[in-house]
Amino acid sequence: MTEAVFYIFAAVAVLGAAMCVLQRSAVSSLVWLLTTMFALAAIFVLLQAELLGVLQVLVYVGAILVLFLFVVMLLNVDALRQYSRGAVSTAAAVAIGGLLLVELFAIWRYTPARLAAELAQSPQMASDLALAFPAASTNAEAIATRGIVGAVAAPMFQTYLVPFEITSILLLVALVGAVVLAKKRL
Amino acid sequence: MPTATLAQEAVVMPTGAISLLWLTVLLPFAGFLFNGILSLRRSTSKAAVSVVGPAVLIAAFAVAVAAFFQLQGLHPEAPIVLRYWTWMPVGDFQIEMALQYDQLSAIMLLVVTGVGSLIHLFSIGYMKADEGYARFFAYLNLFVAFMLVLVLGASYPVLFIGWEGVGLCSYLLIGFWFTVKPNADAGFKAFLANRIGDFGFLVAMFTLYHVAGALDFVTVNQWLLANPQLVDTGIVTTIALFFFLGCTGKSAQIPLYTWLPDAMAGPTPVSALIHAATMVTAGVYLVARSNVLFAMSEAASIVVAGVGALTALFAATIGLRQYDIKKVLAYSTVSQLGYMFIAVGTGAYVAGIFHLVTHAFFKALLFLGSGSVIHVMHEALHATHSHADAQDMRNMGGLRRWMPTTFWLMLLATLAIAGIPPFSGFFSKDEILAFAFARGEASPVFYVFYGMGLLAALLTAIYMARLMAMTFFGENRTGAAEQQHLHEAPAIMTWPLIVLGVLSVIGGAINLPHFVGGNEWLHHWLEPVTGAGHALPWVAGLHLPEGATEYALIGIAVLVGVFGLWFGMRSTLARAIPTPDAAPPERGFARVLANKYWVDEIYDRFIVRPVVGLSRGFLWKFMDKGLIDGAAVNGPAWISRHVLGKAGSLLQNGQVGLYLIFFMLGALWILRVALG
Amino acid sequence: MAPDLLGPALALSAVLFSIGAAGVLLRRSAIVLFMCIEIMLNAVNLAFIALALLHGVAGHIMVFFVMTVAAAEAAVGLAIILVVFRHKQSVDLQHVNLLRG
């Protein structure tokens, strides 16, 4: 059942992405992107990342895409006469896209079965993993103990505190930067 | 028949004068530094230089004398080698900075320091008025230092240091007045000719090392004697001939003699010291030192003797028609050196050294005497602002009235060089010719050499008499106004001449032959050095002719000398001698001689110009400018700029799209590497 | 159950990433280019979340940060586009070649 839902949303996401890339009008692209993001939010929830699903909708769709929309409307950019960058670029796009697809399928090997087998074979890998991912209690367990938000919050404010703070500074910088760049007169 | 062996070198490090041998080299070198520094200062007191310059030489001579007497007391059979430090340790090959003192070095040391001291004293007077006084003595001291390294060296490389060093000093001194271009050219010519000889020397050294594995005299001689199968083989002949090429350069034999007459452009003391007494004799010394090597190769020795004979005759003919007093003496030197090579080529190494010593005496005397004459002539012509050539004999004449001392001394030297008994030259020259004649029994070609030598002796007497006649006899052609300024040379210049005169007269005493009751002292003295060479098969049978042959040879030699002198005087004084301006152009064979057989011109046309042309046209234009500068240096630069640069700039067209493509390609690549 | 979705989720991530990459190389308009970049970022987020099923909450935290940075980047990027638009009166990338050397 879950799988069927997944596949439906996956199809929507792919369709949305494809149409976003291929649409001539900027606004149309935007709308299709919106669709893709909603679909992805749904998939996030399916993958037991409920918090992130909600955040996707709130932040990505609600803020970032709206920002895009504002800019598009403000600048009144719409369709360009020629929407691709030329034959070379089209060829490159197809070729590189295809190659990327092929390469990325290599990630497929990290299926759970394979991973479990590798872990069983080398304890070294298990300890490496523990080192790499300090907050490595599995999802379900974490949600069970602390709830959806708590599962993320605890490591965030303990292990990953410093990146968190840096990110906040980053946001400040981005804020100031955007204002400075966009002002007509300083 | 003595066996051909060589005693092991003396292991004992002697005390006394011999251990101070290094002083003889270091003292002149210190003199060079002192005088050299003084010469760099603007105004120098000549007094300091006049004291230090000759003083270091006299001190070196004192050491030489003391060492000689010590050696005489020691009577060693083997050379005393004084090792100071290892110069080139390269794997198995070790060259040490070592000096070798044996009977031959002793003689050479005495000659160089003794005659050198006299010439230094002479120079005080001769160069008095010159600006470069300090520089002159600096170079002269340096020369002596190098010459001593040459004669005292214990191995071929150390000898070569001295060899090259004297070549350098010769260049510096010939071109002493280098602001006049011909003088600088003469110095350059000397250096180049010597360089060709040096090439021969180097090849010989390399070959010798390749076969023998060592280059110091003691070891090489031992090795040669231990391999008697090498006698008359190609390798020994090759080494000997290449060494001889070096000798033709340094000792001015055919074909590399052309630098010596031009070297007369230098100050006369230089001509006396370097180009008469010491440097040019280095070749003879080399052959004498390598007597084992040369005695092992009959072919090489015949070549040496042959070239010597030819040069002796050839140069003597040219001397007959030269008008510059120094040029006559220069060709005379070339000719006399030829005699020395006849001697060492015949296997009579002692005779060669004997003539070297006596020649040093009388030739130095002749040069210094001519120097006095030129000095006085120069002053006289300068006083009347005449532009006549002070060295041209046609401007002289009857000078014995004004310069009696010089005249008498030069007369003594002339008699010596002409081979008149009992002067020194007679004994040495006669011995050479006698040995050549004796060798003719085994190799008939030596009869030819004897004949050439005899003819050269005749011509020597003729041109020397001509020189004396034109300079000191007859009526004076200098001019009435100049005559008042003619006078004898100052005492500082005449006293060295007197000493040399005495030596020219009694110098024969060092090797008086048996028939006059002498004990052939030099022959016995040099026995430890030349004995090995004498024992080798080719030389072994050589001994002076006895009895009737001996007296006949002596008689012929004396007759030739006397006749030559008389003929020279008669023919020169028979006609009035025109001054250079009024002289008619030469005709016939005289013209050939006056132009020295056009050898310089031939060399220039057939050797120098093609080489220069090749160097300029091919080596410089094509290889250096074209290949190396153009292709190898400028080429990559041009490629970088016009090919790689242009290609590079195509990648930077500012198009974001292009950048993105490369970006993605890079990401693809990294992904591939990361995922394996 | 959810771990069974790992494979398909990763596959979906790959597909989306490729589509986004193709779009980046293809489109002429700067704004649409940005959108394609957003697609790529989302694909990566999906991958992180999928792998979090195996390796724990660290994946979610990563996504958190990615989203934040994406937001910052979008803001600044759009500001830049704005400034360029003021100069060139268009967002056509072919006209933006000031880095030409």
Side-chain angles (χ1 to χ4, degrees), chain C residues 25-72:
Chain C
L25 292 172
L26 187 70
R27 297 301 301 253
R28 199 186 261 233
S29 164
I31 300 190
V32 180
L33 196 83
F34 256 91
M35 289 186 223
C36 297
I37 291 175
E38 296 297 331
I39 298 178
M40 286 161 76
L41 282 169
N42 273 280
V44 168
N45 283 349
L46 177 61
F48 271 122
I49 289 183
L51 287 169
L53 291 172
L54 279 183
H55 297 300
V57 161
H60 293 195
I61 295 173
M62 199 61 208
V63 172
F64 200 89
F65 288 128
V66 171
M67 272 190 209
T68 318
V69 173

Side-chain angles (χ1 to χ4, degrees), chain B residues 24-183:
Chain B
T24 56
V25 176
L26 219 60
L27 277 171
F29 191 74
F32 156 69
L33 289 174
F34 182 82
N35 292 323
I37 292 173
L38 279 184
S39 74
L40 292 172
R41 293 175 41 188
R42 199 76 57 84
S43 58
T44 319
S45 99
K46 295 201 169 138
V49 177
S50 307
V51 169
V52 172
V56 292
L57 254 288
I58 295 172
F61 179 64
V63 175
V65 170
F68 172 76
F69 281 115
Q70 190 185 0
L71 190 69
Q72 204 173 31
L74 279 175
H75 277 304
E77 281 299 306
I80 300 171
V81 178
L82 303 159
R83 295 197 168 79
Y84 295 111
W85 73 86
T86 310
W87 175 26
M88 285 197 233
V90 182
D92 292 336
F93 183 42
Q94 307 267 331
I95 311 180
E96 293 173 332
M97 196 58 77
L99 297 180
Q100 177 169 322
Y101 196 66
D102 59 8
Q103 289 79 0
L104 180 59
S105 328
I107 298 288
M108 296 298 297
L109 186 59
L110 284 171
V111 169
V112 173
T113 50
V115 176
S117 307
L118 291 170
I119 293 175
H120 275 70
L121 289 169
F122 180 86
S123 307
I124 297 177
Y126 190 80
M127 300 295 288
K128 190 176 55 173
D130 196 287
E131 280 291 310
Y133 190 73
R135 184 165 58 102
F136 182 76
F137 274 97
Y139 288 157
L140 221 59
N141 281 345
L142 185 66
F143 168 81
V144 175
F146 275 127
M147 188 70 202
L148 290 177
V149 171
L150 200 158
V151 298
L152 290 175
S155 59
Y156 286 104
V158 178
L159 192 153
F160 195 58
I161 298 177
W163 188 274
E164 297 249 36
V166 297
L168 167 72
C169 294
S170 176
Y171 162 77
L172 290 171
L173 284 163
I174 293 173
F176 187 70
W177 294 306
F178 55 83
T179 45
V180 178
K181 187 155 197 294
N183 299 341

Side-chain angles (χ1 to χ4, degrees), chain A residues 85 88-89 92-93 95-97 99-100 103-104 106-107 109-110, chain B residues 656-658 660-661 664-665 667-669 671-676:
Chain A
R85 290 209 292 271
V88 172
S89 293
I96 293 177
L99 280 170
L100 260 179
E103 288 226 22
L104 289 173
I107 318 178
R109 61 170 140 165
Y110 285 103
Chain B
V656 181
L658 187 68
L660 276 171
I661 292 178
M664 284 293 178
L665 282 171
L668 254 175
W669 184 260
L671 208 61
R672 179 162 163 243
V673 170
L675 291 175

Side-chain angles (χ1 to χ4, degrees), chain A residues 9-23 28-37 39, chain C residues 16 19 39:
Chain A
F9 279 117
V12 171
V14 171
L15 178 70
M19 295 307 280
C20 170
V21 168
L22 292 174
Q23 285 293 316
S28 312
S29 296
L30 198 62
V31 170
W32 280 109
L33 185 61
L34 194 90
T35 321
T36 310
M37 293 208 174
Chain C
L16 283 177
I19 293 175
I39 298 178

